[in-house]
Every structure is written in structure tokens, then in C-alpha cells.
Amino acid sequence: MSQLKYIGQSAPRIEGMEKVTGATQFTDDLDFGPNLLFAAIVESPYAHARIENIDTSKAEKLPGVVKVVTGKDFPYKFGLYMHDRYVFAQDRVRFIGEQVAAVIARDPATARRGAGLVKVQYKELEPLFSVYDAVKEKPKCLIHPDLKNYTHVPWFFPQVDTNIAHLRKVRKGDMEKGFQEADHIFEDEYTVPRYAHCAIEHHAAVGKLDHSGRLTLWTASQSPHTQRHLFTQALEPLGFTHKDIRVISMAVGGGFGGKAGVSMEILAAALATAVKGHPVKVLWSREQEFYNTYQRQGLHSKLKVGVKNDGTITALEEILYWDAGAYVEYGANVVNAAGLSATGPYRIPNLKIDSVCIYTNLPPGGPYRGFGYSEFIFGLESHFNEIAKKLGIDPKEFRKKNAIQEGDTLAYGSKMNPSGLLECIDKVAEAIEWDKDFPVNDPNKAVGKGISLMWKAPAMPPNASSTAFLKFNEDGSLNILVSAMEIGQGFLTVMAQIAAEILTVPPGQIRVETPDTDRNPYEWQTVASHITWGTGTAVKRAAEDAREQIFDLMEKALGKNRDALYLEDAMVKSHDEPDFKLPLKDFVINGVMMEDGTWRGGPIVGRGMFMPEFASALSDPETSQGGKPNVHYTVGASAIRIEIDKQTGKVRIPKVVLAVDAGKAINPDLVRGQIIGGILQGLGTVLYEDMRFDEKGKLLNPNFTDYKIPTSLDIPDEIVPIIVEVPQPDGPFGARGIGEHTMIPIAPIVANAVEDALEIRIKSMPITAEKIALAIKEKNEVEKLRS
């Protein structure tokens, strides 16, 4: 295709796009059936304890209570990558807030009162909150003494009789030689705390087991088919198979990874089986959103880098200690993905990386936008900036010198895909005016600039697949059935644009349906920034399949030369016959009538599927060499200019820029929106957000009063989104995903700008105004003593 008619013309395509989507909202009148019941959860007050006894008698006698369930009713494990978690705690609890029992009642207030009447006797056990305590040769306890018996994916390597749930080792080159060749060796440590997703919409799920044995779940989920699969696995002892479970998902009011996989939704599925014929609703409070859904994992990183005088990196040794929490059924794959890519977008010949997934008695960690990359990039890019400064090399030039290029060997032996990384660096530097000094006239203010690179690969199993059905209607309009989720990224619009490009039907005449696992075809999950690439390819193939059926019909029924046929303006045309124009609506349902009154054709239905058949997660467990665990990388760069009030530590941001190589921006406006949103979410994590736990492991700030997130008043004065396009060979029209990537470099650009302004390196997040002010005070006191 020499010219894309629809792709890139984002503004006209947005007009009328209210016709594109078929998102059914989670409204009050949604019919779950009569007699909706409500569940309240009995939670553990201890971070680590043995359950001695559960007395439900008082709760069961409370008027309005229908059923009380405990772990003995559901002794079933579940998990995406590792089966290490029970629906309800069995013999022990492992974090404060873990579900121990549930009370089902006819109204929420009665359910809550009933939960308060359930009496649980515990024997408190020694908890572990520090990753360093947990990985000692003889830790105080084993949080999961049965780790050796857990089922897990073949690319996980649990360390038996330890608190290490998974260890990803990467070895490349000759480390001894690499450090010998270095003129300098720089070592340091960096810390990233836990973070909350902070989606405005709470987690909610309704489950109903009808009298035919069909279990239906209504969820706000990024993963309807994966949820169905995990529900089936967990409830298989009750006789359920995949055909018996249906998941209906609506548009999601914020996900960021927090609504991927299965967390609280398993409760609605299980509880529905206890009250057959009645729908049961489980709704998380804002506090529960903080402490009993996935949190972003904490990270302690240790870095040792060998470098030549000219800035060439010769060796990298990196240990990543991940605070994965009480259960790692999803979070261990974050650790795995980060370990494989912990070099960042750099060409480094000699590597030793250990990415360590560690059980602690804090809430379970899991997927969060960036999937571990934001965490390790903070330390890596901060450290590289320090190295450049100590060598007297411009930080931008240091990055350009070592930036990975197409064909370079990755950490695990595969080759780097095409990318516009150097172009991203140059465009960011130009936009931020990297070489220009910005003088400040106020002695109480300091200004600084920071730069960082970023990259990310879709972290997904090698057989993660996408499918799409496309069907015409009588008027030539289209319905596209897919099972990826709209989570605010504009996915439904982009799928319509892809189909429109192939079939030349205006996007406003295309409706993309939200998932129902009974109706819509399979999709792994809406995670990993792979949907435009994976689902988009499936939709493109479905549209191409429909187009080929159309051309087949024209050849069969009308005798047209199919090689001369093409689609334009929702009509079939021919290069051989300029006057031939047959509107799609005239035949895509009814077919073509022949001279004898018979018909040819029938309803046109397209089918498309995509699986990355070239990917493999299998490799040498000691080196990670072999296989191809990542399908490709999306790369980019970001830079910032800040102003710091030296008395208060408050940071003002006059300008921030970010360039991302999108391969092909199918909808540039949506890409720019993702850039801006990623920047703002990243600024929240580095400047404001901070989860605080007490000495018992209780979260102290599970609310938006004490857990600060950015508001409109915190938006930078100027945000410059930059789109670079170096096509991804196997992406739809060259596109690749960019959704998570845009927040990944934000923490290090701020840290590097603070150091540039104050000559103070802050090595732990968040970099709050208080932390900056205290660092300035400490620096001044040291300088005063020296003088």
C-alpha cells in the first residue's frame, strides 16, 4: 500500500467516533437477575499468623445473612504464572488484609455487620518486611515452606527452602575481562518503594451460578479470557470446565495493570457457587484498593559498572532485589521480565544480572504500568548520569555512544529490532534546548535539566495470542468482535481505523464490541502494551480475510479479474473497468443474484488470528542464553527542565519532553495522549506518591488524603510529545505499542535534573519536596563544617 488513506488522519477520524465503540457500562440497571446479594470480607489483622480457629456462629444467626464461608469451603489455589495463593487463607495468613472468610447477606450493611461477628483466633508468627532479611542464609521464617510443591510456568526458577520465589539469571560475555578492560568501576545502590495504581474506578465483580450450572461473572477487567481460565482452574474440583464459565467485561475505569489477571474477582466466582441462583456482588472500598489488590513492587538495586575513559561501557553487574509481597502468582513475571531487560537500551558486551523475586509479608505485588522497567530504569539511568558526570562527558553524548542499535546483541543473545532511538535522543535534546543555559536571578531558586532513555518489550508468554471476528451488516456497516479491553487508551478507535484502512469503510460505521467470553474470540490480556501490535494484527488479518472473500465472490459471480479488483469508498472497483463500482452494502449480506435468479455469496465474516510463533521463553536457567523471550522493544528518550525552591524543596516544571518510536502512529492524537498521561503518572511516582507501612506491616495511608497523587495544579507548564516512526516489520502498518513506555523515564529525568540543579544525588524514590529540602540542609551543614 503506497499511501495510507485513513491512518494518520486522526482528527477527521475522531469526529463521529461515538459510533465506533460498543462499550456497555456498569450501570445500576444492569440485570444480574433478581435477589442480588452482597458480600463483606473478613480480613487478617496480622501480617503473618497461623489460623487457630474460626467461629462463624454469631454471624450465621444475624437476620439477613444468607451464608458464611471460610477457607475450608474453598481449599483451592489459583495464580497466573505460579499457583501460590488460595481463594481464602487456609492454615496461615501472610499479609494484613488477606481474606479469611466472607459473609453473604441481603444488603451491604448486614454483610458488614456479619463480618464483624466472625471471630478468628490467630497465633502470630514472625513477619518479614525487608528483602535483605528475607534472603538471609537462615531467615527468621519461610513465608512459603511448600514452595517446592507449587505449580509454575517452565521459565520460573524457585529456590527451594528459601524465600526466593524466582531467580532470573542473565550472563553474557566475560565479566572478569570486562572489568579488566575498564578504566573506571563505579558502584552504587538505589531504592524504589511500593506504589498503588490509583484507578478512580474501584474493583468490583458480580458472580452468579444459575440453576443450569452456568457461572457468569461481570467484572471490570483487563483480562476476561484469562480470568475465565483461572476461575476454571481454581473451581475445577467443583466440576467446572471452561464452557461452564462466562466472563462479561465492561469498559474499565482505569487499569494500569491493577485489573489484569485475577485478584478480588476470584471471590465473586467462588461465593456465587455457595448461593446457587443468586447473584453476589463484591465491591472493594478505596482502602481495599490500596492493600488487597496488586501493588507495584518495591526494588533495591545494586549496580557495578565498568567504563572506559571515552565513556564506553565494558561491563555491568546488577542485582535486583524485588519486594514481591506475600504472593507472587503474577508479580514473579515482573521480576522475570525486568531481569531480561535490565541493561536498559544500551550495548553492553559483558553482563551479570540477578533479578530476585522475594516473598515478604507485605501485600502482593503485581503488574503496574511499565512492568518493572520504571523501577530498574530509575537506578540505571541515575547511575549512568553520575558516571558521565565523573568522566566529564555530556550525559546526552554518553547515552548516544552506548545506545543499542538494530542488530546489536541483546542480553539473552537475540538481536535488537529496528528502532529510532538515536533520533529520539536528538529530538528530545533539541526540544529541551539541552545545550542552552537557563540563568536564574533568584538566589533561593535553582534550575536543572535531566535526560533519560527508556525501552520496554511486551512481557508476555511466547504463545500469547489475539483473535478477531469481523462481520458485515445489511447497510455495509461493520461489527468487530475482539476481547482486548478499552482502558482509556483508545483501543476501540484504533481497531476501527485498522479495519477501515483495509475495507475502506469509514470508522464511524464500525462498531467494536467489548468482551463477552461466550461471544467474543480469545485474547490473552490487555497488558504489555501489545494490543495495537497483536490484536491490531488480528483485526487487520480479519479485514483482509473479508476482503479476499469479497474478491472471490466478484470473480465467481461476476467473472471479474480479481487481480484488478480493489476497495475504495466502501465499494468494489476494478482497474480494468473504470465504471465498475459495486457498493459493499449491496452484497455483503444478501450476496449477488445471477441471471437465472439464483444467488452467490452470503454474509461476509472475516477471521483473524495472531500469535508470535517466533518467540520462546525457554533458555539456559544459568545464563538466559537461547530462545527469544521478547518479541521486540519500543524505545524512546525524555528530558526535563525544573526549577527548585531551595527553601522548601518544591519542584516546578517549566518544560518536559518525551519522544517515543511508535513504529507507525495509527492515531497520532491518541499517541500524544499516552505520552502526556505517562509523563503525569510518572511525575506522581517520583514527586508525590509514597506508601507508608508501620512496624507491623499495616499500610498507614490507604486513601487519597494521605497518599498524594498529582492534580491539575501539578501539570508542567509545557509538555512536548514527540512521535518517531521507524516501522516494526511485523506490526500492523508498522505499529508497535507505546502505552506503558511513556512513564518509564520520568523518575530518572527528575532525579538527574535535581542533581544538575543542586549537585545532590537522591538515590531513593520518591523525591519529595521534604526530601529535597532535607538534602539541601544536610549539604549546607557539611559545607559549613568543611569551611
Side-chain angles (χ1 to χ4, degrees), residues 264-284:
M264 59 79 72
E265 300 85 2
I266 192 73
L267 300 177
L271 295 177
T273 68
V275 286
K276 191 172 185 177
H278 294 267
V280 181
K281 185 175 186 177
V282 183
L283 173 64
W284 254 204

mmCIF file of all heavy atoms in Angstrom, residues 264-284:
data_model
loop_
_atom_site.group_PDB
_atom_site.id
_atom_site.type_symbol
_atom_site.label_atom_id
_atom_site.label_comp_id
_atom_site.label_asym_id
_atom_site.label_seq_id
_atom_site.Cartn_x
_atom_site.Cartn_y
_atom_site.Cartn_z
ATOM 1 N N MET A 264 -9.300 -9.780 43.399
ATOM 2 C CA MET A 264 -10.518 -9.971 44.178
ATOM 3 C C MET A 264 -11.645 -10.635 43.386
ATOM 4 O O MET A 264 -12.602 -11.153 43.968
ATOM 5 C CB MET A 264 -10.983 -8.625 44.732
ATOM 6 C CG MET A 264 -11.283 -7.554 43.689
ATOM 7 S SD MET A 264 -12.857 -7.654 42.838
ATOM 8 C CE MET A 264 -13.950 -7.175 44.150
ATOM 9 N N GLU A 265 -11.566 -10.663 42.070
ATOM 10 C CA GLU A 265 -12.636 -11.242 41.258
ATOM 11 C C GLU A 265 -12.872 -12.722 41.565
ATOM 12 O O GLU A 265 -13.979 -13.240 41.390
ATOM 13 C CB GLU A 265 -12.330 -11.063 39.768
ATOM 14 C CG GLU A 265 -12.192 -9.626 39.322
ATOM 15 C CD GLU A 265 -10.797 -9.064 39.520
ATOM 16 O OE1 GLU A 265 -9.897 -9.828 39.981
ATOM 17 O OE2 GLU A 265 -10.587 -7.874 39.227
ATOM 18 N N ILE A 266 -11.811 -13.404 42.026
ATOM 19 C CA ILE A 266 -11.957 -14.820 42.366
ATOM 20 C C ILE A 266 -12.976 -15.007 43.489
ATOM 21 O O ILE A 266 -13.629 -16.058 43.584
ATOM 22 C CB ILE A 266 -10.580 -15.416 42.768
ATOM 23 C CG1 ILE A 266 -10.639 -16.949 42.834
ATOM 24 C CG2 ILE A 266 -10.097 -14.859 44.092
ATOM 25 C CD1 ILE A 266 -10.709 -17.618 41.516
ATOM 26 N N LEU A 267 -13.144 -13.989 44.336
ATOM 27 C CA LEU A 267 -14.097 -14.091 45.444
ATOM 28 C C LEU A 267 -15.530 -14.147 44.922
ATOM 29 O O LEU A 267 -16.336 -14.946 45.393
ATOM 30 C CB LEU A 267 -13.923 -12.914 46.398
ATOM 31 C CG LEU A 267 -12.541 -12.783 47.051
ATOM 32 C CD1 LEU A 267 -12.477 -11.527 47.909
ATOM 33 C CD2 LEU A 267 -12.241 -14.015 47.885
ATOM 34 N N ALA A 268 -15.843 -13.295 43.939
ATOM 35 C CA ALA A 268 -17.191 -13.313 43.380
ATOM 36 C C ALA A 268 -17.485 -14.651 42.714
ATOM 37 O O ALA A 268 -18.598 -15.185 42.812
ATOM 38 C CB ALA A 268 -17.364 -12.161 42.388
ATOM 39 N N ALA A 269 -16.481 -15.208 42.034
ATOM 40 C CA ALA A 269 -16.668 -16.506 41.378
ATOM 41 C C ALA A 269 -16.924 -17.599 42.397
ATOM 42 O O ALA A 269 -17.853 -18.411 42.252
ATOM 43 C CB ALA A 269 -15.435 -16.835 40.535
ATOM 44 N N ALA A 270 -16.115 -17.621 43.456
ATOM 45 C CA ALA A 270 -16.260 -18.672 44.467
ATOM 46 C C ALA A 270 -17.551 -18.510 45.253
ATOM 47 O O ALA A 270 -18.295 -19.487 45.471
ATOM 48 C CB ALA A 270 -15.058 -18.656 45.408
ATOM 49 N N LEU A 271 -17.843 -17.293 45.678
ATOM 50 C CA LEU A 271 -19.019 -17.081 46.526
ATOM 51 C C LEU A 271 -20.315 -17.386 45.783
ATOM 52 O O LEU A 271 -21.292 -17.844 46.391
ATOM 53 C CB LEU A 271 -19.024 -15.650 47.052
ATOM 54 C CG LEU A 271 -17.866 -15.290 48.005
ATOM 55 C CD1 LEU A 271 -17.928 -13.822 48.393
ATOM 56 C CD2 LEU A 271 -17.880 -16.172 49.241
ATOM 57 N N ALA A 272 -20.327 -17.132 44.480
ATOM 58 C CA ALA A 272 -21.539 -17.430 43.718
ATOM 59 C C ALA A 272 -21.884 -18.906 43.763
ATOM 60 O O ALA A 272 -23.064 -19.281 43.733
ATOM 61 C CB ALA A 272 -21.363 -16.967 42.270
ATOM 62 N N THR A 273 -20.873 -19.755 43.860
ATOM 63 C CA THR A 273 -21.146 -21.197 43.913
ATOM 64 C C THR A 273 -21.751 -21.611 45.250
ATOM 65 O O THR A 273 -22.299 -22.712 45.361
ATOM 66 C CB THR A 273 -19.856 -22.002 43.667
ATOM 67 O OG1 THR A 273 -18.950 -21.832 44.767
ATOM 68 C CG2 THR A 273 -19.176 -21.579 42.373
ATOM 69 N N ALA A 274 -21.641 -20.752 46.254
ATOM 70 C CA ALA A 274 -22.180 -21.078 47.584
ATOM 71 C C ALA A 274 -23.641 -20.697 47.723
ATOM 72 O O ALA A 274 -24.303 -21.127 48.675
ATOM 73 C CB ALA A 274 -21.354 -20.370 48.665
ATOM 74 N N VAL A 275 -24.172 -19.888 46.808
ATOM 75 C CA VAL A 275 -25.562 -19.438 46.889
ATOM 76 C C VAL A 275 -26.183 -19.560 45.495
ATOM 77 O O VAL A 275 -26.553 -18.569 44.872
ATOM 78 C CB VAL A 275 -25.676 -18.001 47.431
ATOM 79 C CG1 VAL A 275 -25.416 -17.966 48.928
ATOM 80 C CG2 VAL A 275 -24.711 -17.071 46.713
ATOM 81 N N LYS A 276 -26.298 -20.754 45.014
ATOM 82 C CA LYS A 276 -26.758 -21.018 43.656
ATOM 83 C C LYS A 276 -28.085 -20.317 43.374
ATOM 84 O O LYS A 276 -28.997 -20.325 44.192
ATOM 85 C CB LYS A 276 -26.907 -22.521 43.458
ATOM 86 C CG LYS A 276 -27.114 -22.951 42.018
ATOM 87 C CD LYS A 276 -27.061 -24.464 41.904
ATOM 88 C CE LYS A 276 -27.132 -24.925 40.458
ATOM 89 N NZ LYS A 276 -27.016 -26.397 40.340
ATOM 90 N N GLY A 277 -28.143 -19.684 42.208
ATOM 91 C CA GLY A 277 -29.353 -18.983 41.806
ATOM 92 C C GLY A 277 -29.390 -17.524 42.185
ATOM 93 O O GLY A 277 -30.263 -16.786 41.727
ATOM 94 N N HIS A 278 -28.443 -17.079 43.013
ATOM 95 C CA HIS A 278 -28.403 -15.688 43.459
ATOM 96 C C HIS A 278 -27.122 -15.003 42.954
ATOM 97 O O HIS A 278 -26.029 -15.535 43.155
ATOM 98 C CB HIS A 278 -28.413 -15.597 44.985
ATOM 99 C CG HIS A 278 -29.684 -16.067 45.612
ATOM 100 N ND1 HIS A 278 -30.719 -15.226 45.921
ATOM 101 C CD2 HIS A 278 -30.099 -17.311 45.984
ATOM 102 C CE1 HIS A 278 -31.714 -15.906 46.461
ATOM 103 N NE2 HIS A 278 -31.360 -17.184 46.516
ATOM 104 N N PRO A 279 -27.232 -13.844 42.356
ATOM 105 C CA PRO A 279 -26.017 -13.084 42.062
ATOM 106 C C PRO A 279 -25.415 -12.511 43.345
ATOM 107 O O PRO A 279 -26.154 -12.114 44.259
ATOM 108 C CB PRO A 279 -26.506 -11.968 41.137
ATOM 109 C CG PRO A 279 -27.959 -11.824 41.443
ATOM 110 C CD PRO A 279 -28.453 -13.177 41.879
ATOM 111 N N VAL A 280 -24.089 -12.489 43.415
ATOM 112 C CA VAL A 280 -23.377 -11.979 44.584
ATOM 113 C C VAL A 280 -22.413 -10.884 44.138
ATOM 114 O O VAL A 280 -21.623 -11.095 43.205
ATOM 115 C CB VAL A 280 -22.585 -13.097 45.297
ATOM 116 C CG1 VAL A 280 -21.873 -12.535 46.530
ATOM 117 C CG2 VAL A 280 -23.487 -14.242 45.680
ATOM 118 N N LYS A 281 -22.481 -9.767 44.812
ATOM 119 C CA LYS A 281 -21.636 -8.628 44.460
ATOM 120 C C LYS A 281 -20.530 -8.443 45.492
ATOM 121 O O LYS A 281 -20.791 -8.439 46.693
ATOM 122 C CB LYS A 281 -22.469 -7.343 44.373
ATOM 123 C CG LYS A 281 -21.683 -6.134 43.903
ATOM 124 C CD LYS A 281 -22.620 -4.932 43.718
ATOM 125 C CE LYS A 281 -21.908 -3.743 43.115
ATOM 126 N NZ LYS A 281 -22.832 -2.607 42.881
ATOM 127 N N VAL A 282 -19.294 -8.285 44.990
ATOM 128 C CA VAL A 282 -18.151 -7.954 45.834
ATOM 129 C C VAL A 282 -17.611 -6.621 45.332
ATOM 130 O O VAL A 282 -17.263 -6.494 44.155
ATOM 131 C CB VAL A 282 -17.055 -9.030 45.773
ATOM 132 C CG1 VAL A 282 -15.917 -8.681 46.733
ATOM 133 C CG2 VAL A 282 -17.626 -10.404 46.087
ATOM 134 N N LEU A 283 -17.561 -5.647 46.213
ATOM 135 C CA LEU A 283 -17.101 -4.304 45.852
ATOM 136 C C LEU A 283 -16.026 -3.869 46.830
ATOM 137 O O LEU A 283 -16.253 -3.858 48.036
ATOM 138 C CB LEU A 283 -18.278 -3.311 45.895
ATOM 139 C CG LEU A 283 -17.924 -1.829 45.703
ATOM 140 C CD1 LEU A 283 -17.347 -1.583 44.314
ATOM 141 C CD2 LEU A 283 -19.159 -0.958 45.938
ATOM 142 N N TRP A 284 -14.864 -3.530 46.311
ATOM 143 C CA TRP A 284 -13.759 -3.084 47.154
ATOM 144 C C TRP A 284 -13.943 -1.622 47.553
ATOM 145 O O TRP A 284 -14.362 -0.787 46.738
ATOM 146 C CB TRP A 284 -12.456 -3.246 46.399
ATOM 147 C CG TRP A 284 -11.536 -4.356 46.796
ATOM 148 C CD1 TRP A 284 -10.182 -4.389 46.581
ATOM 149 C CD2 TRP A 284 -11.830 -5.600 47.449
ATOM 150 N NE1 TRP A 284 -9.644 -5.565 47.044
ATOM 151 C CE2 TRP A 284 -10.637 -6.327 47.585
ATOM 152 C CE3 TRP A 284 -12.999 -6.171 47.941
ATOM 153 C CZ2 TRP A 284 -10.566 -7.581 48.191
ATOM 154 C CZ3 TRP A 284 -12.948 -7.421 48.534
ATOM 155 C CH2 TRP A 284 -11.744 -8.101 48.658
#
